[in-house]
Amino acid sequence: MPGQIPLHISLRDSATFANFLPAGNAQLLLQLVDAAALKGEQFIFLWGSAGTGKTHLLQSVCHALSANASTGVYLPLSHEGIRPEMLEGLESMPLIAIDDLQAVAGDREWETALFNLYNRVRDRGEGHLIVTGTANPQALDLSLPDLESRLMWGLVFQLQAMDDEQLSEALQLRAKGRGMDMPADVAAYILKRCSRDMHSLFDLLDKLDHESLVAQRKLTIPFVRQFLE
C-alpha cells in the first residue's frame, strides 16, 4: 500500500490537507501541496513544538501523493523498531517523508544514515525529501555538523502554533469532516478544559464522535461535560 513500510506503519485516514486549517502556515501548505504533486522544492525541513500538526501534514502529503497515482514512504523515527538501514535505497522513491528527527538526534549511526540519504537524493537529481523535528536544525543537538548543513538545504519552515480562535475553528472543521456539527460554544468549552495540542484534541473528537453515535445525541455542552466527567 502506498505510504507504508514493512513495519506496517499506516497513515491515519483523517490526515488530509482538507481538514488542516492553514492559519499562519499558508505558505508552508502550498509548498507541501506542490511536493505531493512532485513539484517545487526538493528538500523541506518542517519544525515546531509537539502537537502543532507536523505529523498530520507529513501524512497528508503521503495521502495526496497516493491520490496523484504515485508512491512514497512515511518513516516516523520515534516508532519502535525503526533502524538506520531502512534508509538504504529510499532515494529511489518519488517522495520520502521522515518524521520525528529529534528522536534520533545525537545518535551517530542514525545521523550518518540520514546524511548519506540526503546526498543520494541530491545525486539522483529527483525525488522529494521532507523531514520534521521539534526544533530548527541548529537547536537539535546533532553530533554530525554535516547533517545540520544538509537539513538546511531547500526550505525550512517553522509550523506556527494556533491561537484560541484558530484552534476552535480547526476543531469545528475536523468535526464537520466527520459529519458532526460542533457549535462554537462547545469548541470553546472543550478548549478550556482539555489538552490544547492538536493530536489530543482530535483524539478526543474521535471519542466524542463514537459516544454521540452510541447515545444518539448531538454535541452540546451538557453532553461533552457528561463525557469528560
Side-chain angles (χ1 to χ4, degrees), residues 111-194:
E111 291 187 15
T112 300
L114 287 162
F115 170 77
N116 290 334
L117 176 62
Y118 265 88
N119 289 337
R120 294 196 304 270
V121 171
R122 179 197 57 184
D123 292 345
R124 186 167 178 260
E126 57 182 299
H128 290 69
L129 176 56
I130 307 174
V131 180
T132 75
T134 53
N136 66 59
Q138 297 97 329
L140 278 172
D141 295 325
L142 299 170
S143 63
L144 189 63
D146 286 341
L147 174 59
E148 181 181 314
S149 71
R150 297 303 184 269
L151 296 173
M152 299 297 291
W153 283 355
L155 301 175
V156 177
F157 287 98
Q158 180 182 5
L159 188 60
Q160 301 298 319
M162 296 183 185
D163 59 26
D164 284 1
E165 183 177 350
Q166 292 165 340
L167 279 172
S168 177
E169 188 177 348
L171 198 54
Q172 291 174 277
L173 178 64
R174 177 63 69 92
K176 183 178 180 180
R178 298 184 67 94
M180 306 164 65
D181 177 35
M182 176 177 285
D185 62 339
V186 174
Y189 181 87
I190 290 173
L191 290 175
K192 288 179 181 178
R193 290 159 176 80
C194 302

